[in-house]
Amino acid sequence: MQQRTYEVRTFGCQMNVHDSERLSGLLESAGYVKAAEGAQADVVVFNTCAVRENADNRLYGNLGHLRPVKTANPGMQIAVGGCLAQKDRGEIVRKAPWVDVVFGTHNIGSLPTLLERARHNEKAEVEILESLEVFPSTLPTKRDSAYAGWVSISVGCNNTCTFCIVPALRGKERDRRPGEILAEVEALVAEGVLEVTLLGQNVNSYGVEFGDRLAFGKLLRACGTIDGLERVRFTSPHPAAFTSDVIDAMAATPNVCHQLHMPLQSGSDRVLREMKRSYRSARFLNILDEVRAAMPDAAITTDIIVGFPGETEEDFQATLDVVAQARFSSAFTFQYSKRPGTPAATMDGQLPKEVVQERYDRLVELQNAISWEENKKIVGRRVELLVAAGEGRKDAETHRMSGRARDGRLVHFAPTGAHVDRAVRPGDVVETVVTYAAPHHLVADGDLLSHRRTRAGDNAEAGLRPKTSGVTLGLPGFGAPAAQPEPVSGCAL
């Protein structure tokens, strides 16, 4: 019998991207194969996000496009999971009765069973749990990248930010044990991965569940003992939980990148109070000063919301002032988006769209100017790049390739020169000199100073990707993980 094919469509943040890797792993473990590029899949899975206002429209627009496809192919199945599914539940099937399966953030492991049940019963299956069925990292995972991997260290959130729907949909924070995390990192490195990004809704509050306030700094240091792990990143820390120990660990651990993404959200202390963000602008700026004192080359990025209910021109000016002082290398800027079910959605002072847009434009103009000024400081510097796939939209036209510097900056470079060993591939490591700066990227058009072929590059060239089968160890502990069965099932096409 011909194997059924699948496609996973992802909306939202890194958490969702990593969850989609798990969904792919689950489906392949159940016998499905990934649909060929451009081919119509037998099963289409939407992994949704509920953070932005247009998330609903985007989902239902995509579902609408698939309705005639499914009518023409009755055996096709459509599944909807993620945060929007957790929020809307049975409403999705009411609005789009051609959907076969709806599952939530706490039971992604149920997807293959729900698909089979819907096929057998010939009716939609909606299953939403209120708490985690199993920790997601125990599930099989089909990785998207041969050279970089996400590693969840916690799920959920204990904060109550008034603009955010995530705690209601992801639940309270649950922390993985350190040994499990380190075992997963070692499994990825054993498959050739050079870089890992530690993921958590508030990644630096890691350890709260087992009562160790310094656990995150310890985890970073432990990652520094893993042979073959060249780069460690993490996202996203919360300013209120940021400790000097984390800064010390970043500075003292050679493979931890000097990059920090820390959401500001607003520079107005009054707005921060309304947002229930438990820090103030002075505290935020003090953290940046401490980071730069320990790591002068650190690149710091942030998230900012413009137009929160009740934001005055004075409040917005405070945000501009903090941005000017902070000198972020880049910022993700958002216009406030009303999310039903959040306290902010019912607050007085909802701002007109034109006011928010005008403020947003001013913020973007200021941050772009700062980003450009900061990037110009890099011109003439030697940088080490982990070569990436698909990050340079114009690479084919310019005959360049793209990679990420250790500080996270995107660099488009010329893969030329006497030091090139045969050919440069995604996953290889090169060194070059920056020749030009733009607000959102750098260019290095000279010949490469060095080129190191890697196992990750070999795997990328061969189309191989790590496929981890889930790691569990039990009790907390730092250092080398205990001996255990091999957690990686090998590379898969």
Side-chain angles (χ1 to χ4, degrees):
M1 189 175 70
Q2 187 176 6
Q3 286 179 298
R4 287 173 62 80
T5 60
Y6 76 90
E7 175 191 358
V8 179
R9 302 185 188 181
T10 309
F11 307 101
C13 64
Q14 296 99 328
M15 300 283 185
N16 277 29
V17 173
H18 191 26
D19 280 348
S20 290
E21 291 183 328
R22 296 188 181 108
L23 291 170
S24 295
L26 282 161
L27 290 170
E28 294 199 2
S29 294
Y32 294 80
V33 295
K34 188 173 182 179
E37 190 76 28
Q40 180 57 56
D42 298 314
V43 174
V44 178
V45 183
F46 292 93
N47 187 15
T48 64
C49 175
V51 172
R52 304 297 295 154
E53 186 174 19
N54 65 358
D56 308 60
N57 295 336
R58 190 175 179 190
L59 170 65
Y60 291 111
N62 275 272
L63 291 176
H65 288 141
L66 281 182
R67 184 176 190 176
V69 179
K70 179 162 183 180
T71 300
N73 301 275
M76 176 188 179
Q77 289 186 294
I78 301 171
V80 179
C83 287
L84 198 59
Q86 188 79 21
K87 179 174 76 73
D88 285 1
R89 305 180 180 227
E91 185 72 6
I92 292 173
V93 174
R94 189 188 69 78
K95 289 183 176 179
W98 55 96
V99 169
D100 299 276
V101 170
V102 178
F103 61 102
T105 58
H106 299 308
N107 63 318
I108 64 176
S110 301
L111 176 60
T113 299
L114 292 172
L115 287 168
E116 185 59 35
R117 192 186 302 163
R119 190 181 303 118
H120 179 271
N121 295 337
E122 297 184 340
K123 69 181 186 68
E125 293 290 333
V126 179
E127 182 175 286
I128 306 291
L129 301 185
E130 297 305 323
S131 59
L132 277 182
E133 192 174 52
V134 295
F135 201 98
S137 293
T138 64
L139 302 172
T141 304
K142 172 73 178 295
R143 305 284 176 163
D144 288 337
S145 171
Y147 50 86
W150 310 104
V151 176
S152 288
I153 70 170
S154 64
V155 294
C157 180
N158 292 341
N159 291 316
T160 56
C161 300
T162 56
F163 57 81
C164 187
I165 193 70
V166 169
L169 304 180
R170 293 275 183 178
K172 292 292 186 182
E173 181 173 327
R174 294 279 306 277
D175 293 333
R176 292 178 75 190
R177 299 306 182 181
E180 297 177 13
I181 297 165
L182 295 172
E184 183 176 349
V185 173
E186 287 199 332
L188 288 170
V189 173
E191 289 296 306
V193 167
L194 300 175
E195 174 181 299
V196 298
T197 300
L198 306 177
L199 285 179
Q201 205 68 50
N202 294 299
V203 70
N204 59 324
S205 65
Y206 172 72
V208 65
E209 192 176 22
F210 51 85
D212 186 351
R213 187 168 175 269
L214 301 180
F216 186 60
K218 293 176 184 177
L219 183 62
L220 291 178
R221 291 184 174 92
C223 286
T225 68
I226 297 175
D227 290 340
L229 179 59
E230 298 192 12
R231 296 183 175 192
V232 178
R233 305 186 192 278
F234 58 89
T235 193
S236 291
H238 194 291
F242 215 94
T243 63
S244 296
D245 178 66
V246 171
I247 297 171
D248 293 342
M250 291 177 68
T253 310
N255 63 359
V256 175
C257 294
H258 292 181
Q259 175 197 9
L260 176 64
H261 181 80
M262 188 165 66
L264 168 66
Q265 306 301 11
S266 175
S268 163
D269 289 349
R270 190 192 69 79
V271 171
L272 289 173
R273 281 193 296 272
E274 292 295 308
M275 289 179 167
K276 287 198 174 180
R277 299 286 287 179
S278 49
Y279 57 89
R280 300 296 172 256
S281 58
R283 160 70 175 155
F284 187 94
L285 290 169
N286 285 340
I287 294 171
L288 303 196
D289 288 344
E290 191 175 351
V291 168
R292 286 174 171 141
M295 295 166 285
D297 60 337
I300 300 172
T301 58
T302 197
D303 297 333
I304 300 171
I305 296 172
V306 178
F308 186 80
E311 180 189 76
T312 65
E313 179 61 28
E314 182 181 12
D315 292 323
F316 178 66
Q317 184 59 52
T319 295
L320 295 179
D321 292 344
V322 172
V323 168
Q325 190 172 343
R327 308 292 299 177
F328 299 114
S329 60
S330 67
F332 295 92
T333 51
F334 305 93
Q335 298 184 34
Y336 169 72
S337 177
K338 183 191 291 188
R339 302 309 294 141
T342 63
T346 57
M347 285 182 175
D348 294 334
Q350 305 284 332
L351 299 179
K353 168 67 175 176
E354 59 271 19
V355 172
V356 179
Q357 184 67 54
E358 189 274 336
R359 290 177 183 172
Y360 175 83
D361 291 342
R362 274 192 282 158
L363 174 61
V364 169
E365 182 179 11
L366 172 62
Q367 181 55 54
N368 282 347
I370 292 170
S371 296
W372 198 4
E373 290 168 8
E374 293 301 307
N375 278 353
K376 286 176 181 177
K377 296 176 183 177
I378 312 297
V379 173
R381 290 189 193 173
R382 181 173 181 146
V383 292
E384 177 199 86
L385 308 178
L386 177 56
V387 183
E391 296 224 42
R393 288 178 295 175
K394 297 182 179 179
D395 282 354
E397 301 169 27
T398 61
H399 303 291
R400 296 183 180 119
M401 296 182 74
S402 298
R404 291 282 172 179
R406 293 188 67 83
D407 65 5
R409 285 182 167 93
L410 178 64
V411 182
H412 306 301
F413 67 94
T416 59
H419 291 288
V420 174
D421 182 358
R422 288 163 282 174
V424 179
R425 299 95 39 98
D428 285 351
V429 177
V430 301
E431 289 181 297
T432 187
V433 174
V434 175
T435 57
Y436 171 79
H440 304 298
H441 67 267
L442 301 167
V443 174
D445 271 337
D447 287 347
L448 295 181
L449 302 177
S450 70
H451 169 214
R452 173 162 53 91
R453 291 172 73 88
T454 67
R455 185 181 172 198
D458 295 341
N459 288 343
E461 187 175 29
L464 302 176
R465 300 292 182 269
K467 189 173 181 180
T468 50
S469 57
V471 180
T472 55
L473 286 178
L475 296 175
F478 283 94
Q484 58 164 3
E486 174 59 51
V488 178
S489 58
C491 292
L493 292 174

